[in-house]
């Protein structure tokens, strides 16, 4: 919504969401993604805070103690989380161990957690666990997500919102 603050971790999905946020007014975006910060800074209605820390040059995100320390000073209305998997039993997972603590801290400092993941990540587990599935208040995914996996997530208290490809872009 207009006049809110949003935390976003690194990922192609959060980058796509950032483009949609450009339609809103007076949004503060806190991110550890170098690419997302650069793209979002092109929009005058988005105030962007790029966290400091060590840089993962391959995937263009910052991480480490400096990043975690800086995050402790911020609170956001929403954390929009991009991850590599969400499963009712396995939880929210990623392949990038450097980003696990960053995501946990962003969850801790946000009122609402929205997991934004395409259908291939629903019902799937990656290498590193970020949190249990119920840490996501809402999952936004494609309509082609596994109905069984979606149902299991809903029994964990996750609200699932689905959209077609054209609706979600």
């Amino acid at each position: 919504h207009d006049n809110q603050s949003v935390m976003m971790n690194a990922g192609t999905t959060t980058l796509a969401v950032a483009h949609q946020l450009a339609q809103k007014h007076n949004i503060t975006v806190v991110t550890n993604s170098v690419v997302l910060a650069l793209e979002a800074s092109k929009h005058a209605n988005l105030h962007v805070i790029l966290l400091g820390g060590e840089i993962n040059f391959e995937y263009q995100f910052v991480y480490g103690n400096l990043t975690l320390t800086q995050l402790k000073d911020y609170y956001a209305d929403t954390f929009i989380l991009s991850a590599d998997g969400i499963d009712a039993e396995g939880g929210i997972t990623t392949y990038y161990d450097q980003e696990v603590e960053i995501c946990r801290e962003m969850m801790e400092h946000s009122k609402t957690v929205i997991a934004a993941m395409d259908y291939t990540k629903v019902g799937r587990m990656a290498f590193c666990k970020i949190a249990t599935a119920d840490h996501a208040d809402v999952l936004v995914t494609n309509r082609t997500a596994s109905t069984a996996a979606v149902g299991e997530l809903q029994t964990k208290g996750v609200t699932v919102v689905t959209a077609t490809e054209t609706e979600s872009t």
Side-chain angles (χ1 to χ4, degrees):
H1 300 287
D2 291 344
N3 305 309
Q4 288 195 333
S5 56
V6 178
M7 289 190 185
M8 301 173 80
N9 69 315
T12 56
T13 305
T14 48
L15 183 59
V17 171
H19 289 292
Q20 296 300 311
L21 286 178
Q23 299 171 23
K24 301 294 180 186
H25 299 286
N26 194 33
I27 302 293
T28 298
V29 177
V30 177
T31 186
N32 70 321
S33 170
V34 176
V35 175
L36 191 150
L38 289 171
E39 286 298 312
S41 68
K42 295 176 184 177
H43 304 283
N45 54 327
L46 300 179
H47 172 70
V48 181
I49 298 171
L50 174 61
L51 300 167
E54 297 177 61
I55 299 175
N56 176 310
F57 288 99
E58 183 176 2
Y59 296 105
Q60 297 293 300
F61 65 80
V62 297
Y63 66 96
N65 289 332
L66 182 60
T67 313
L68 291 168
T69 299
Q70 191 176 0
L71 267 173
K72 292 180 190 316
D73 291 334
Y74 300 118
Y75 288 92
D77 295 296
T78 305
F79 171 32
I80 300 174
L81 165 70
S82 175
D84 298 300
I86 185 166
D87 179 78
E89 296 305 315
I92 303 165
T93 56
T94 183
Y95 289 112
Y96 309 106
D97 63 330
Q98 297 168 330
E99 216 181 17
V100 170
E101 289 301 321
I102 304 302
C103 290
R104 288 178 183 161
E105 197 67 31
M106 286 180 171
M107 281 181 177
E108 181 79 19
H109 287 258
S110 299
K111 293 176 191 168
T112 303
V113 176
I114 299 174
M117 298 183 209
D118 72 59
Y119 75 96
T120 64
K121 298 173 181 179
V122 178
R124 175 177 158 192
M125 291 184 286
F127 180 64
C128 302
K129 185 172 183 174
I130 296 169
T132 57
D134 61 351
H135 276 80
D137 298 301
V138 178
L139 167 65
V140 178
T141 190
N142 314 80
R143 290 183 192 211
T144 51
S146 161
T147 54
V150 165
E152 291 172 4
L153 289 166
Q154 290 171 324
T155 64
K156 296 285 185 182
V158 179
T159 300
V160 180
V161 177
T162 57
T164 62
E165 290 296 321
T166 55
E167 290 173 335
S168 61
T169 55

